[in-house]
């Protein structure tokens, strides 16, 4: 097995919903196992990381980029942007709904490459917003390195249990 696999990124469409759902559930579980309640994780993934949820987001104007590892083309990460559903959103904002990668690819530049795609898609908007679990220090460090700053908080429902999130924003050049 190659210890340094390469990956490529391409825009995803509705036909990629199974891959988005797989990566979404796998990375959510990988990130939050032993941090959040297990039953809440399973419920959240069943409701939010399924093919229909990703198809609906894409059909509602969302855009996604899928990272695939080579050789083999297996999905290993993605970014998804769309209309904001955060209370802190203002006219002209767009939301980074998800930016996920398997932990094996952390530190490989994949997160920055996915963020570059999301920022390109956000061009012409006022700000790029996101919500992140308040105790996800690795993600918070990544977002702050990418130019995001705290603008608020929210409660995030994971499988019927509420957790504290920070809401971050990055100003965009109009």
């Amino acid at each position: 097995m190659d210890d340094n696999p390469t990956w490529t990124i391409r825009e995803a469409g509705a036909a990629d919903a199974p891959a988005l759902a797989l990566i979404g559930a796998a990375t959510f579980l990988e990130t939050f196992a032993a941090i959040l309640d297990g039953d809440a994780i399973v419920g959240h993934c069943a409701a939010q990381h399924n093919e229909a949820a990703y198809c609906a987001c894409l059909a509602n104007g969302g855009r996604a980029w899928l990272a695939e590892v080579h050789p083999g083309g297996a999905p290993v990460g993605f970014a998804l942007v769309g209309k904001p559903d955060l209370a802190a959103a203002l006219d002209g904002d767009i939301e980074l709904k998800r930016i996920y990668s398997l932990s094996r690819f952390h530190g490989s530049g994949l997160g920055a490459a996915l963020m570059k795609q999301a920022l390109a898609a956000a061009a012409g908007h006022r700000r790029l917003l996101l919500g992140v679990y308040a105790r996800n220090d690795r993600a918070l460090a990544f977002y702050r390195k990418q130019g995001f700053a705290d603008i608020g908080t929210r409660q995030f429902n994971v499988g019927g249990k509420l957790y504290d999130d920070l809401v971050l924003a990055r100003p965009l050049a109009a």
Side-chain angles (χ1 to χ4, degrees), residues 4-174:
N4 295 304
T6 59
W7 41 261
T8 57
I9 297 173
R10 64 176 176 81
E11 189 154 7
D16 296 304
L20 297 173
L22 176 65
I23 288 298
T27 56
F28 198 88
L29 175 61
E30 184 180 57
T31 301
F32 294 113
I35 297 171
L36 304 181
D37 180 78
D39 290 337
I41 292 171
V42 171
H44 176 79
C45 288
Q48 301 298 318
H49 296 292
N50 62 60
E51 292 178 35
Y54 285 98
C55 283
C57 186
L58 293 171
N60 193 32
R63 291 181 68 192
W65 294 267
L66 183 63
E68 297 168 320
V69 68
H70 298 284
V76 296
F78 72 92
L80 174 68
V81 299
K83 297 174 186 170
D85 62 5
L86 297 166
L90 303 172
D91 286 342
D93 289 343
I94 189 168
E95 183 179 348
L96 178 62
K97 302 283 189 181
R98 297 186 177 98
I99 183 166
Y100 292 162
S101 69
L102 295 174
S103 63
R104 177 177 174 200
F105 297 90
H106 292 177
S108 72
L110 178 56
L114 288 167
M115 182 64 76
K116 184 177 178 180
Q117 295 296 323
L119 289 167
H125 289 86
R126 184 175 175 270
R127 299 181 300 177
L128 181 60
L129 307 178
L130 62 88
V132 59
Y133 180 52
R135 293 185 177 168
N136 190 339
D137 295 333
R138 183 179 184 94
L140 285 165
F142 171 77
Y143 295 134
R144 290 184 175 129
K145 184 178 179 182
Q146 296 292 322
F148 287 84
D150 299 25
I151 62 165
T153 61
R154 72 168 175 182
Q155 293 269 283
F156 189 71
N157 185 334
V158 178
K161 297 188 185 240
L162 295 177
Y163 296 92
D164 293 326
D165 271 7
L166 294 176
V167 178
L168 309 180
R170 176 179 166 162
L172 301 169

